Amino acid sequence: MSEIQVIPPALERLVRSFSSLPGIGAKTATRLALTMLRKPASEAREMAAALSELHGSIRLCSACMAFSETDPCNVCGDPRRDGTLVCVVEQPADLLAIEKTDHYRGHYHILHGVLSPVDGIGPAELKIKELLTRLEEGTIKEVLIATSSTVPGEATASYLIDALSRFSVKLTRLACGIPMGMDIKYADQHTLARAIESRSEAT
Ligand code: ZN
C-alpha cells in the first residue's frame, strides 16, 4: 500500500534543496519553500536566474582566492590598498567581517577552510600552496594571520607560522580581545578593529 503524496514533488524538491543549506532545518526549509510558492512567479524566476548564474559569473581571484566576478578581485585590483600586507583568513565571510571594521587597508588570502585531520583536511586541501607562491614573488612584507581562536584555527596558525618562517616577512597575529573559541566572523566590529590595530608579532 503506497502512502498518499501530500506534498507535491516540485515543492518537496525545493524543500530538500533548502534543507541542504547550513542552519536550515526541515521546518525552515518548508516555510521558505511555501513563501516562494506564495510569491509572484516572476520573483521565483529572478531567484532561479541568480542561482543559475552564480557559478558562471563568480570565480576565485587568482591572487587572494576570494570569490569575485573579476580577476583580480576589487581588493587586489585597488591601487590604494597596501599590497605589502596580506591578512590570511579561513573563509570569505571572515574577509567581509574585517572589511566591515574599516580598519584594514591591506590585501587578503583566503584559505577556504582550516586544518582538520579528523575530517581529512590537510594543508593540500587549503589554499596554502597559493599563499607560498605569492610570498615567493617578494612583494609581501607582512602576513597577518587572522584565523579563528578555535582549536583548528590555532592549529592552522601554527602550521602557517612554521611554513612561512623561511620567508623574510613579518608574521603577525590578531591581538588578544577575540575571545577563545570565537570565529572571526562573529566577533564584534570594534573588537576586531582593535585586534587588527594592535596585532602582535607571531611566535
Ligand atoms: Zn583578490
Side-chain angles (χ1 to χ4, degrees), residues 145-188:
I145 299 169
T147 51
S148 296
S149 60
T150 55
V151 173
E154 288 294 325
T156 308
S158 301
Y159 179 88
L160 287 175
I161 291 167
D162 201 44
L164 305 186
S165 61
R166 66 183 166 100
F167 296 97
S168 56
V169 289
K170 189 173 166 189
L171 296 178
T172 50
R173 299 210 48 193
L174 290 180
C176 301
I178 307 285
M180 274 312 283
M182 181 169 246
D183 222 307
I184 297 292
K185 60 180 177 289
Y186 301 132
D188 79 87

Side-chain angles (χ1 to χ4, degrees), residues 60-83:
L60 289 184
C61 167
S62 58
C64 72
M65 304 288 129
F67 289 122
S68 172
E69 284 193 18
T70 56
D71 188 15
C73 69
N74 288 340
V75 172
C76 292
D78 185 348
R80 291 164 302 178
R81 297 196 69 129
D82 181 3

Side-chain angles (χ1 to χ4, degrees), residues 37-176:
L37 194 59
R38 282 189 209 105
K39 283 178 177 288
S42 60
E43 269 189 54
R45 269 197 295 274
E46 218 170 276
M47 193 185 256
L51 280 173
S52 65
E53 272 169 28
L54 203 57
H55 285 278
S57 58
I58 296 184
R59 65 194 97 182
L60 289 184
C61 167
S62 58
C64 72
M65 304 288 129
F67 289 122
S68 172
E69 284 193 18
T70 56
D71 188 15
C73 69
N74 288 340
V75 172
C76 292
D78 185 348
R80 291 164 302 178
R81 297 196 69 129
D82 181 3
T84 69
L85 169 62
V86 165
C87 178
V88 180
V89 294
E90 294 169 12
Q91 298 290 356
D94 301 327
L95 178 157
L96 298 178
I98 293 175
E99 279 299 288
K100 255 198 232 150
T101 67
D102 223 8
H103 274 70
Y104 181 74
R105 300 301 297 158
H107 285 199
Y108 291 94
H109 192 88
I110 294 112
L111 297 172
H112 290 274
V114 274
L115 293 178
S116 180
V118 285
D119 301 312
I121 300 170
E125 277 66 48
L126 306 179
K127 303 290 183 193
I128 292 178
K129 193 165 55 61
E130 289 80 355
L131 176 62
L132 301 180
T133 307
R134 287 178 83 182
L135 284 164
E136 274 157 15
E137 286 163 12
T139 321
I140 298 165
K141 293 192 173 70
E142 180 182 345
V143 177
L144 167 57
I145 299 169
T147 51
S148 296
S149 60
T150 55
V151 173
E154 288 294 325
T156 308
S158 301
Y159 179 88
L160 287 175
I161 291 167
D162 201 44
L164 305 186
S165 61
R166 66 183 166 100
F167 296 97
S168 56
V169 289
K170 189 173 166 189
L171 296 178
T172 50
R173 299 210 48 193
L174 290 180
C176 301

